[in-house]
Amino acid sequence: MIVKNIHSKIHEIRHQKVMLDFDLAALYEVETRVLNQAVKRNIDLFPVDFMFQLTLEESESLKSQIVISKTNVSMSSQIVMTSKSKRPKASLPFAFTEHGVSMLANVLKSKKARQTSIAIVRAFIALKQYIVNYNELQQKLEELETKYNKRFSDVYEALNYLMGIKKVEAKTKKRTKIGYKN
């Protein structure tokens, strides 16, 4: 399973990185309703920090984001999966955090579920590592910017001074000389 493929299915909702039930069902190769039934039978394994149900506003917002991103192949496949998921229109998708995804492998109890869960957890770890590296890089860039901004302002000031001297010299040469002429 390609980690990049999984990355496209990780969304940020309520300031958390999550995967939606229909995406997970597709990865685990089960129907969304089967996945949700397994979760509901074992609801004690999925506290609020492992899984939550989207609100109507979050669901609508997510749908509009997916429609806007139709050109992205992975996102357009989500639209197809949503229509194939046989989800009743009244029910809202469930969002699973990294820990919730890990728990799904225990609930589904298949070899495919365990392998998929490992791949998904690796994708979450890679995403966290990317964020850490990004933050470190951003901090280093800010340090360089402040360090070199001072140097560039000094150079700019020196150039302005030299240009001012050149202008004064040019004006001096253009003036008509007074005094003894040959």
Side-chain angles (χ1 to χ4, degrees):
M1 188 167 307
I2 301 171
V3 173
K4 193 174 189 180
N5 225 4
I6 296 171
H7 275 269
S8 66
K9 297 177 186 317
I10 297 175
H11 305 280
E12 186 166 336
I13 301 173
R14 299 182 195 173
H15 306 291
Q16 295 183 62
K17 300 290 184 193
V18 297
M19 292 186 74
L20 302 173
D21 57 0
F22 57 87
D23 286 330
L24 288 164
L27 291 171
Y28 289 126
E29 297 177 358
V30 297
E31 288 184 36
T32 305
R33 69 176 178 80
V34 171
L35 184 137
N36 287 335
Q37 285 172 352
V39 169
K40 287 176 184 175
R41 279 193 299 267
N42 299 283
I43 198 69
D44 58 318
L45 298 175
F46 295 93
V48 178
D49 57 330
F50 282 31
M51 176 195 81
F52 56 88
Q53 191 166 22
L54 298 184
T55 64
L56 184 60
E57 294 81 24
E58 290 168 336
S59 180
E60 292 300 320
S61 173
L62 193 64
K63 282 180 191 174
S64 67
Q65 289 174 18
I66 291 171
V67 169
I68 289 170
S69 302
K70 256 186 179 177
T71 55
N72 184 334
V73 176
S74 62
M75 289 300 215
S76 61
S77 66
Q78 286 180 347
I79 296 168
V80 174
M81 281 186 257
T82 306
S83 62
K84 287 183 182 177
S85 67
K86 298 180 184 176
R87 177 188 300 281
K89 290 187 179 182
S91 71
L92 296 165
F94 287 100
F96 293 84
T97 65
E98 179 181 354
H99 305 294
V101 170
S102 299
M103 198 56 71
L104 274 175
N106 297 330
V107 171
L108 294 175
K109 298 180 182 176
S110 72
K111 185 176 183 178
K112 175 70 175 174
R114 287 190 304 273
Q115 291 171 337
T116 302
S117 184
I118 290 169
I120 292 170
V121 169
R122 284 183 176 148
F124 272 104
I125 291 169
L127 189 61
K128 285 180 183 177
Q129 190 62 40
Y130 172 78
I131 290 169
V132 167
N133 290 341
Y134 176 80
N135 288 339
E136 288 175 3
L137 181 61
Q138 185 178 6
Q139 185 179 11
K140 286 180 182 178
L141 284 173
E142 287 172 359
E143 288 172 7
L144 286 171
E145 186 177 321
T146 55
K147 178 181 176 182
Y148 288 108
N149 272 350
K150 175 67 176 142
R151 289 185 184 171
F152 283 124
S153 66
D154 291 345
V155 169
Y156 183 72
E157 189 177 318
L159 288 173
N160 279 336
Y161 175 75
L162 291 173
M163 287 174 42
I165 290 174
K166 293 284 184 187
K167 287 180 184 176
V168 170
E169 287 176 356
K171 282 183 181 178
T172 307
K173 286 182 181 179
K174 287 183 182 178
R175 286 192 302 193
T176 55
K177 295 182 183 180
I178 56 172
Y180 181 75
K181 293 184 184 179
N182 280 344

